[in-house]
Amino acid sequence: MKAVVYQSNTGYTQKYAELLGQKTGLPVYARREAGKALSPGDDIIYLSWLCAGALMGYKKAAKTWHVRAVCAVGMGSPAANEIADIIKKYQLDPAQAFYLQGGFDMNKLHGIYRLMMKTMIKSVVPSLEKK
């Protein structure tokens, strides 16, 4: 294994990647910067955040490097079996696909993602308040 590569939007995935790097001794790179340090075809562990069921940046990472394991970071509970959809969608080996619960920080969101979450909050909060 050559490195841990991640794509993070609000910092939660980055923190997980850094922890994994510390535990494994592997260098950790953001996906957009990894090309400077890694060669095409290098074996990596890829961590990224989920957005509407998509593992952000995975297709680009898989075209460049040999992704040996994937960790999806999302807002849902790990008990909700979020990873099953990711395994199916990206045809991953279930033994090499993992899910970790991330977090949400509106202040760290940018662009379209901030707008999407503002809209979602308006629809979700009233139903949560009823519970």
Side-chain angles (χ1 to χ4, degrees), residues 28-115:
V28 178
Y29 304 105
R31 185 184 58 80
R32 290 188 177 166
E33 295 152 6
K36 297 172 189 169
L38 301 173
S39 299
D42 280 347
D43 289 346
I44 66 162
I45 299 170
Y46 186 71
L47 287 80
S48 188
W49 59 290
L50 293 174
C51 180
L55 187 60
M56 303 304 289
Y58 173 77
K59 289 181 181 179
K60 289 181 181 179
K63 284 180 183 178
T64 306
W65 304 291
H66 184 219
V67 178
R68 300 297 305 249
V70 170
C71 183
V73 179
M75 292 191 324
S77 166
N81 204 16
E82 296 271 350
I83 196 64
D85 293 335
I86 298 301
I87 290 169
K88 184 177 179 181
K89 182 174 186 170
Y90 297 100
Q91 300 177 346
L92 302 173
D93 179 346
Q96 297 172 331
F98 305 90
Y99 179 85
L100 293 169
Q101 189 169 13
F104 175 72
D105 185 345
M106 183 64 92
N107 296 322
K108 293 182 179 179
L109 290 177
H110 306 286
I112 190 70
Y113 303 115
R114 186 178 181 92
L115 179 62

Side-chain angles (χ1 to χ4, degrees), residues 116-128:
M116 287 171 38
M117 290 309 293
K118 280 185 176 182
T119 303
M120 184 187 296
I121 287 170
K122 287 180 184 175
S123 66
V124 171
V125 169
S127 65
L128 291 175

